[in-house]
Amino acid sequence: MKPEILLRADAFLAMLANERGVSPHTLRAYTREINRFAAYLITHNGQATNLGFIEHQQIRAYLGTLLSPAKGKPPLSKASTARALAAIRSWYKWLARMGHVEQNPARLVSTPKLPKHLPRVPTIEQMNRTANNLAPAESTTSTWPARDRVIFELLYGSGIRNAELCAINLPDIHWPGEAILVRGKGKKERFVPLGDAAAAAIRAYLPEREAKLAAAARSTPALLIGSRVKPGKTEIRLTTRTIARLVKQIAISHGLPAETHPHTLRHAFGTHMLEEGADLRAIQEMLGHERLSTTERYTQLTNTQVTRVYDRTHPRAR
């Protein structure tokens, strides 16, 4: 019979998937963290572990094993340990709400202090040059240039997340309103602008998409599909992993940093909008940030860039 602690873990994870509608990436991360913590408790307390008897000292000791694991295992970074604690807090919050425990001991555990890393983004000139060189006829590294151009134009032109891009269906594109309906974290919906460049890229791509689907006798509402569409029931919607790989290929072939990923383009969207004078709250709305403090990171990034320009150019700064 499955231990009670694992049943509680399964119920929590099922709630995340069915009620909150978290992204597959988030669900995988929570599953990993909750199961790892449950395994730790079972190892130290036995299979009859009562979650209501766990105190914050034991949670703190568990985090210590992540930062300083047994010999032969690599330690987790402070950021990864903080994510593990966040998952445990969410689990205990749900346990308390369901009446399985009286309190949330994880609230008494301090989050590891994280270094403040501002995201590095390409310049406006670099992004424009890359986008202008993504003309399908000129691409030699892509298996489907028209589709990959859509990926780049939407990630940078609308600032959407990788998972949001994957989930876009054709009916979500509101051509008259020049907007796209996207579904963000927690199934929250918002409209993002559809710029002229992105619209042109989509229009050039759609006939090729239809031809591939027709050749394979397939149909799907998904905007972005794989380059090899085959008859049958195989999934043809692009995955976040494939999009990340394609973005990296685009970056390397067009002179952007090799560490460029879909979120880099989202950061570039926010940073460049702010540099060009956009209102911070408007950027918050377009990015789908719940808190303005999250969007304010772009202010710090821009200030850093201004300081760098000053140090490089002002005669009294040297």
Side-chain angles (χ1 to χ4, degrees):
M1 184 175 178
K2 203 168 191 178
E4 184 71 17
I5 184 174
L6 295 182
L7 293 175
R8 298 278 188 249
D10 290 345
F12 171 66
L13 295 170
M15 182 276 300
L16 289 180
N18 300 326
E19 296 179 23
R20 292 191 189 174
V22 300
S23 70
H25 174 77
T26 299
L27 184 60
R28 285 194 300 270
Y30 268 70
T31 300
R32 181 181 63 249
E33 301 302 343
I34 296 302
N35 286 335
R36 183 160 54 185
F37 177 58
Y40 171 86
L41 294 179
I42 290 174
T43 298
H44 287 77
N45 301 335
Q47 293 201 356
T49 298
N50 187 328
L51 287 165
F53 292 160
I54 302 301
E55 298 184 349
H56 69 276
Q57 294 92 338
Q58 192 159 8
I59 298 175
R60 188 179 293 120
Y62 167 69
L63 298 181
T65 66
L66 300 181
L67 291 168
S68 301
K71 191 174 182 180
K73 293 184 179 180
L76 289 187
S77 66
K78 287 186 176 181
S80 297
T81 305
R83 284 194 292 269
L85 177 58
I88 295 169
R89 282 176 177 161
S90 295
W91 186 26
Y92 260 100
K93 184 178 180 179
W94 175 82
L95 289 168
R97 189 169 69 246
M98 299 300 294
H100 299 312
V101 299
E102 293 184 2
Q103 58 185 358
N104 183 352
R107 294 180 59 186
L108 301 176
V109 181
S110 300
T111 302
K113 191 171 183 179
L114 305 178
K116 292 185 178 180
H117 293 303
L118 293 175
R120 293 177 57 191
V121 299
T123 65
I124 295 176
E125 292 74 17
Q126 287 176 311
M127 296 299 289
N128 280 333
R129 183 173 64 248
T130 300
N132 293 336
N133 290 335
L134 279 175
E138 301 173 7
S139 179
T140 57
T141 59
S142 172
T143 57
W144 195 351
R147 181 203 58 191
D148 297 352
R149 187 183 178 199
V150 171
I151 291 172
F152 187 89
E153 292 287 3
L154 285 179
L155 287 173
Y156 177 54
S158 300
I160 56 180
R161 301 176 177 91
N162 191 349
E164 293 170 346
L165 175 61
C166 290
I168 292 176
N169 295 323
L170 291 182
D172 298 329
I173 304 174
H174 294 240
W175 294 102
E178 298 181 336
I180 302 177
L181 177 66
V182 298
R183 295 161 185 83
K185 294 181 177 180
K187 293 185 177 180
K188 293 181 180 178
E189 297 182 347
R190 71 184 189 281
F191 282 99
V192 298
L194 175 62
D196 291 344
I202 293 173
R203 287 192 174 98
Y205 155 74
L206 287 179
E208 297 182 18
R209 172 188 175 278
E210 293 305 313
K212 283 184 180 290
L213 290 173
R218 299 291 302 274
S219 65
T220 178
L223 171 64
L224 297 174
I225 62 174
S227 57
R228 296 185 180 90
V229 181
K230 299 179 180 179
K233 297 183 179 180
T234 57
E235 178 59 51
I236 56 179
R237 184 188 295 267
L238 277 192
T239 64
T240 55
R241 181 170 298 187
T242 299
I243 287 179
R245 177 176 54 80
L246 293 172
V247 168
K248 189 178 184 70
Q249 288 178 356
I250 292 172
I252 293 174
S253 61
H254 290 84
L256 295 180
E259 64 271 18
T260 299
H261 49 78
H263 220 67
T264 306
L265 305 189
R266 177 171 162 84
H267 284 313
F269 170 89
T271 302
H272 297 165
M273 289 282 290
L274 189 61
E275 288 179 353
E276 294 298 304
D279 178 75
L280 198 61
R281 288 198 175 273
I283 298 174
Q284 176 192 8
E285 183 70 22
M286 286 184 279
L287 289 174
H289 286 158
E290 186 173 346
R291 299 180 180 84
L292 186 61
S293 59
T294 306
T295 316
E296 286 173 345
R297 297 180 65 200
Y298 298 108
T299 306
Q300 299 172 10
L301 179 62
T302 302
N303 288 342
T304 301
Q305 293 172 333
V306 169
T307 302
R308 191 182 305 128
V309 171
Y310 173 81
D311 291 340
R312 187 176 68 248
T313 59
H314 197 282
R316 301 297 292 175
R318 296 188 291 273

